[in-house]
Amino acid sequence: RVDGYSPSVGLPICLGKMSAEQRRLVDFGLEAHHKTIEWIKPGLTAATVAQQYRQYFVDNGFGDNFLYGPCHGLGMIEVEQPWMEEISQYPLKPNMTFQVDTFAYAPTFGLRWENAGYVTADGFELFSGKFREVIEIG
């Protein structure tokens, strides 16, 4: 926490070479992360974005790797309200802030891409352009 604010950034890091299965899911996770950022627009409901997100998993053959919706609030604690789930009927409005939290899992591993941003007059802008690449160490 910094002056009462709880920021968060998440990205998958692999120590060693990823297996083909890991690489396929990590690459998909990054694609889903980028898509979520594209989908967030004022006037839509949070449920609309969450439905697009889940359907993106299904349409790309990753339906079994889906666990929860694409975004949550940020600020006071990690993973706070409001959440974007398929039952979230609130409208998205300019200046609302969210953590785009793209999580996917497989039987032996999981991954998360997580970046914060805000709803603009016509879309969504991240607070930082960093941490948006696949990292393999070793």
Side-chain angles (χ1 to χ4, degrees):
R1 297 180 78 127
V2 178
D3 292 327
Y5 176 75
S6 176
S8 182
V9 172
L11 70 154
I13 297 174
C14 183
L15 302 176
K17 182 113 173 99
M18 286 185 213
S19 70
E21 176 192 18
Q22 289 170 326
R23 186 61 184 216
R24 187 171 163 261
L25 189 58
V26 168
D27 286 344
F28 169 77
L30 184 55
E31 288 172 23
H33 194 67
H34 288 280
K35 285 292 189 187
T36 303
I37 293 163
E38 290 175 23
W39 293 326
I40 299 172
K41 299 201 179 342
L44 294 177
T45 64
T48 300
V49 176
Q51 288 160 357
Q52 288 175 295
Y53 178 76
R54 184 182 53 79
Q55 193 62 49
Y56 192 73
F57 272 72
V58 171
D59 290 349
N60 286 279
F62 292 96
D64 291 341
N65 306 100
F66 174 83
L67 185 60
Y68 56 75
C71 300
H72 58 78
L74 69 151
M76 299 306 291
I77 60 172
E78 169 62 14
V79 190
E80 68 183 50
Q81 296 181 33
W83 293 277
M84 277 193 202
E85 296 292 345
E86 292 183 62
I87 60 168
S88 304
Q89 293 302 318
Y90 62 88
L92 301 179
K93 298 177 183 177
N95 298 319
M96 292 177 87
T97 58
F98 290 98
Q99 196 72 10
V100 180
D101 180 355
T102 308
F103 179 78
Y105 73 98
T108 61
F109 71 97
L111 63 99
R112 173 177 285 133
W113 294 96
E114 193 166 3
N115 288 286
Y118 66 100
V119 180
T120 66
D122 59 358
F124 190 79
E125 186 172 325
L126 294 176
F127 292 140
S128 172
K130 293 185 176 189
F131 310 116
R132 293 177 64 189
E133 65 208 36
V134 177
I135 298 176
E136 286 179 284
I137 298 174

